[in-house]
Amino acid sequence: LFVVESYRAMPPKPPDLGDVAMVLPVPMDIPDFALSSQDGNPFGKQRLVGRWSFVFFGYTYCPTVCPATLSVLHQVRRLLGNDPQLVGDMQVVFISVDPERDTLERLATYVSYFDPTFIGVTGTSSELERLTKALGVYYKKAAQISPEEYEIEHTQSVMLFDPQGRLEAIFGNPTDPKAIAKAFRNLRNLKE
Amino acid sequence: MEVNRIQGIFRKILQGTLLVGACVLSSAGYAFAGVEVKDAWIAEPPPGAMSAAGFMQIHNSDARARTLLQASSPVCKRIEFHQSIVENNIARMDELEHIVIGPNSTFALELGGYHLMLIRPEALHVGQRVKLQLEFDGGEQVIVEAEVRKLLPESEP
């Protein structure tokens, strides 16, 4: 009986999308948060509802990882481009953990360089801390050359939220657009 | 023994002096005495970027290690040598003092690894050709032209 009970208590096996994505056994609910998008409008949990959201944390002065990841996500959109149903309700959200330097205006110019549909988001340090802590995202100022010149170490994972605004999957090493597009397509097929 | 060593050093200095400024543009890349630089390119920096990454292959066909001491370019304030490191999905950047290219080997500066970091570049655009001056041990210098490209090539849907 004990064996049966522990078997029952085990969470359902998450879908296997290959090495590129780690799907959570159960989608994770996150606390609400209060940030702003590049157009000046509030950006909280509600803005994740009704869409599949690829969310990525970084900063616009990031030398290579952020530009590379945003280029990859732009290509993911292109790869899914012939499937309006998939692209129609997906959004890419770039959240800056460098609110000191990344104004909303700067964010807007930056994200649209990669893709005009991308949304740049940032906010107060305390709101950013709250959200990143809930998601297990790490960031820390490093290599400070001057008050205006510094780098930030940060988690490079791309997080995928479902249309209920819950964390559904994590792309730990988001470097392969084809693999990400394929995993996303498979996940959508499994969920719908 | 000591005299031979000193003579050897003098010979190298002499060789180095003769080769300064004598960079040769070969069909494959830019070369001088055993060192060849190939496929140099710079990733187009996003608008307002504080830095731009540069990549290349440096081949050393010499039997001794060669050291890239510094790099400079008219399009940026200064150039640093960096290495991208990812540990536990956390990305960070380490700065290197110089780059050592082992004997008979190729040192790859490529996306996700070692790269040149052009600090405070002017606005650079795809297709532009940028001069990079590389200074090696022994006083040897080579000027390479690096093409500005998109960080990732566009893939077809």
Side-chain angles (χ1 to χ4, degrees), chain A residues 61 63-65 67-68 71-72 74-75 78-79 106 110 113-114 138 148-149 151 153-157 172, chain B residues 44 46-48 50-51 53 78 82 84 86 89-93 117 119-120 150-157:
Chain A
Y61 288 113
T64 48
V65 171
S71 304
V72 165
H74 162 67
Q75 302 225 7
R78 273 174 60 93
L79 291 167
R106 186 176 160 85
Y110 183 77
Y113 165 78
F114 296 95
Y138 164 92
E148 296 81 36
E149 277 179 291
E151 285 172 10
E153 300 177 354
H154 61 94
T155 301
Q156 62 158 4
S157 313
Chain B
E44 183 185 63
M50 205 99 93
S51 58
R78 62 173 193 281
H82 283 199
S84 300
V86 175
N89 289 341
I90 294 160
R92 63 160 219 271
M93 205 72 82
M117 191 49 80
I119 307 290
R120 292 187 180 271
K150 277 269 180 210
L151 186 64
L152 295 182
E154 292 273 348
S155 57
E156 286 312 307

Side-chain angles (χ1 to χ4, degrees), chain B residues 57-111:
Chain B
Q57 308 280 327
I58 308 174
H59 182 67
N60 174 20
S61 56
D62 208 332
R64 62 184 172 128
R66 300 303 307 264
T67 307
L68 173 58
L69 296 171
Q70 55 183 2
S72 59
S73 171
V75 302
C76 64
K77 207 173 143 197
R78 62 173 193 281
I79 295 182
E80 295 175 358
F81 304 135
H82 283 199
Q83 184 184 15
S84 300
I85 294 171
V86 175
E87 269 172 359
N88 302 320
N89 289 341
I90 294 160
R92 63 160 219 271
M93 205 72 82
D94 278 1
E95 194 182 339
L96 298 111
E97 295 232 332
H98 47 247
I99 284 171
V100 179
I101 308 111
N104 295 308
S105 61
T106 300
F107 193 100
L109 294 133
E110 57 196 2
L111 200 57

Side-chain angles (χ1 to χ4, degrees), chain B residues 24 36 40 45 55 79 82 87 99 104 116 120 125 130 136 153:
Chain B
V24 181
E36 192 179 11
F55 308 96
I79 295 182
H82 283 199
E87 269 172 359
I99 284 171
N104 295 308
L116 300 184
R120 292 187 180 271
H125 300 290
V130 169
F136 290 84

Side-chain angles (χ1 to χ4, degrees), chain A residues 74-93:
Chain A
H74 162 67
Q75 302 225 7
V76 170
R77 265 191 69 91
R78 273 174 60 93
L79 291 167
L80 298 169
N82 48 12
D83 196 337
Q85 221 187 332
L86 285 184
V87 179
D89 64 356
M90 86 173 248
Q91 62 180 0
V92 173
V93 181

